[in-house]
Amino acid sequence: MAETKSLGFNTRQIHAGASPDSATGARNIPIYQSTAFEFRDVAHAARLFNLEEVGYIYSRLTNPTVSALQERVASLEGGVGAVCCSSGHAAQVMSLFPLMSPGKNVVVSPRLYGGTVTQFSHMIKRFGWSAKFVDFDDVDGVRAAIDEDTRALFCESIANPGGYVTDLEVVGKLAQELGIPLIVDNTTATPYLCRPFEFGATLSVHSTSKYLTGNGSVIGGAVVDSGTFDWSASGKYPSLSSPEAAYHGLKFHEALGPMAFTFYGIAVGLRDLGMTMNPQAAHYTLMGIETLSLRMREHCRNAEKVAEWLEGHSGVEEVTYAGLKSSRYYERGKRICPKGLSGLFTFSLKGGYDACVEVVNKVSLFSHVANLGDAKSLMIHSASTTHRQLTPEQQEAAGVKANSIRVSIGIEDAEDIIDDLSQALG
Ligand SMILES: Cc1ncc(COP(=O)(O)O)c(C=O)c1O
């Protein structure tokens, strides 16, 4: 489908980026399992390499199955383009890569998936980049942390391990005022529940391994560009505004306008970093994404019921679900994610760590895995696993406690999920 933006979300999650295969009529997007694509002639090859014509060269850069997913995710998020990557973590690096250079920093919320805190605290330093962690609820603190070398702001819309919602309205306004791109990890909320670009975000990133695929089958990621940021205005983004030595001097922004970031991500980012999504993964995600809205509605409905039930249990100290009226993020959650607060949250137990161990060992419907966003209900003790590499201070800032369990509520019958928790909690 060429023009899909005016169609509704349910229609686009099934049709955007895809039409019957022109060669065979295959109704589903085939898995184009090909490393390379034949050029018509030398001039055709040169035009493709010059970005004068869009087409397929080599699957590290572009592949028809992956392109269909890119178009679909971009359409659902309301962006102009997307770059699919080998994982959510790869997508985070790919979102920063065109913006950063040695000595530059990104101002980051501490309420993030533990792996992201580690990636930003340690790994990116090897590129000469750094992260400044600041509480995004303290907008003056965020403003104060931004300096001449800041090239982006980064946060999660609904933060893993759940229960916290970033005030994207406030942070988006600040980013626009200061001319700094806001990058939102929209993995937990998905484009169905949260629209970061409507709050002023420039880019969104996703771990497509989670709700977008929705069945725990493949690892992948995506960076989506709103197409609204002026990469040339401040002179701070030379990879996009100045002649790019790594691409025969092309000025991406001048040549490609709103598609500059996406083309740069593919032509330079994927070409040189090689964090490419494979067509099998793209196929599974395309299949899963067709039911995204239906699943998210069920995840939210079930999570609300389970969170309410947990809140009433005598052994439970606290439930962090932002969809609960008792949550301090309830009103904000309704503003930022009006259709629901997803299926991820934590609950803490009065019995401490030992009680957590007992519950995790006793559940049978829940799977004890390091994942979220599956149709199946999942559970993990975050402090000893997903957020283990964090310092105690970082864990506290991320909302991870020794006596809390993270749950990703699936789309089974809510009564069965509650029964399983009931027998495990005793
Ligand atoms: C919110 C969030 N962002 C990013 C990631 C990283 O994604 P991936 O595992 O696909 O690299 C995760 C993984 O759990 C996550 O929960």
Side-chain angles (χ1 to χ4, degrees), residues 354-371:
D354 291 344
C356 292
V357 172
E358 207 174 316
V359 169
V360 175
N361 284 340
K362 268 190 173 171
V363 286
S364 61
L365 185 65
F366 276 85
S367 306
H368 180 200
V369 296
N371 193 19

Side-chain angles (χ1 to χ4, degrees), residues 98-99 151 229-245 249-257 260-261 264:
L99 316 184
R151 292 294 176 270
F229 195 83
D230 184 346
W231 301 110
S232 305
S234 66
K236 288 183 174 174
Y237 302 97
S239 295
L240 296 166
S241 63
S242 302
E244 173 55 87
L250 186 71
K251 289 185 179 177
F252 276 80
H253 192 211
E254 188 179 285
L256 297 152
F261 182 93
Y264 190 92

Side-chain angles (χ1 to χ4, degrees), residues 87-89 92 113 156 160 185 187-188 207 209-210 219-220 372:
S87 68
H89 256 22
Q92 290 165 195
Y113 160 54
E156 291 177 9
N160 180 350
D185 181 337
T187 297
T188 303
S207 166
S209 328
K210 316 294 186 204
I219 296 285
L372 64 94

Side-chain angles (χ1 to χ4, degrees), residues 109-323:
S109 164
R111 294 181 176 100
L112 299 173
Y113 160 54
T116 306
V117 175
T118 309
Q119 186 186 51
F120 285 176
S121 307
H122 302 285
M123 192 285 292
I124 65 168
K125 286 186 184 158
R126 301 186 188 186
F127 293 161
W129 313 342
S130 62
K132 294 185 186 183
F133 288 89
V134 196
D135 182 355
F136 270 40
D137 279 352
D138 173 11
V139 71
D140 293 333
V142 176
R143 185 188 286 275
I146 294 169
D147 62 28
E148 261 310 289
D149 290 325
T150 301
R151 292 294 176 270
L153 307 178
F154 188 101
C155 62
E156 291 177 9
S157 43
I158 298 178
N160 180 350
Y164 173 80
V165 181
T166 305
D167 198 334
L168 294 181
E169 209 169 349
V170 170
V171 181
K173 266 195 200 116
L174 180 72
Q176 289 195 323
E177 179 199 324
L178 300 180
I180 312 251
L182 169 64
I183 306 171
V184 177
D185 181 337
N186 204 23
T187 297
T188 303
T190 81
Y192 181 66
L193 301 177
C194 181
R195 319 302 312 253
F197 298 158
E198 291 175 9
F199 297 113
T202 294
L203 304 170
S204 73
V205 291
H206 287 273
S207 166
T208 58
S209 328
K210 316 294 186 204
Y211 289 107
L212 292 189
T213 304
N215 48 42
S217 55
V218 284
I219 296 285
V223 188
V224 190
D225 181 18
S226 61
T228 54
F229 195 83
D230 184 346
W231 301 110
S232 305
S234 66
K236 288 183 174 174
Y237 302 97
S239 295
L240 296 166
S241 63
S242 302
E244 173 55 87
Y247 214 88
H248 52 69
L250 186 71
K251 289 185 179 177
F252 276 80
H253 192 211
E254 188 179 285
L256 297 152
M259 290 301 286
F261 182 93
T262 302
F263 272 83
Y264 190 92
I266 292 170
V268 182
L270 291 182
R271 186 197 63 185
D272 294 352
L273 295 174
M275 298 169 165
T276 309
M277 179 180 277
N278 69 73
Q280 292 259 357
H283 179 78
Y284 278 105
T285 304
L286 279 163
M287 297 300 99
I289 218 168
E290 291 187 348
T291 56
L292 179 66
S293 61
L294 284 72
R295 285 185 285 107
M296 291 319 291
R297 285 200 287 268
E298 283 305 305
H299 282 295
C300 294
R301 228 191 319 256
N302 277 356
E304 272 166 36
K305 285 187 191 163
V306 175
E308 268 170 27
W309 180 85
L310 279 167
E311 203 172 36
H313 192 282
S314 58
V316 173
E317 185 179 83
E318 191 194 5
V319 183
T320 65
Y321 192 52

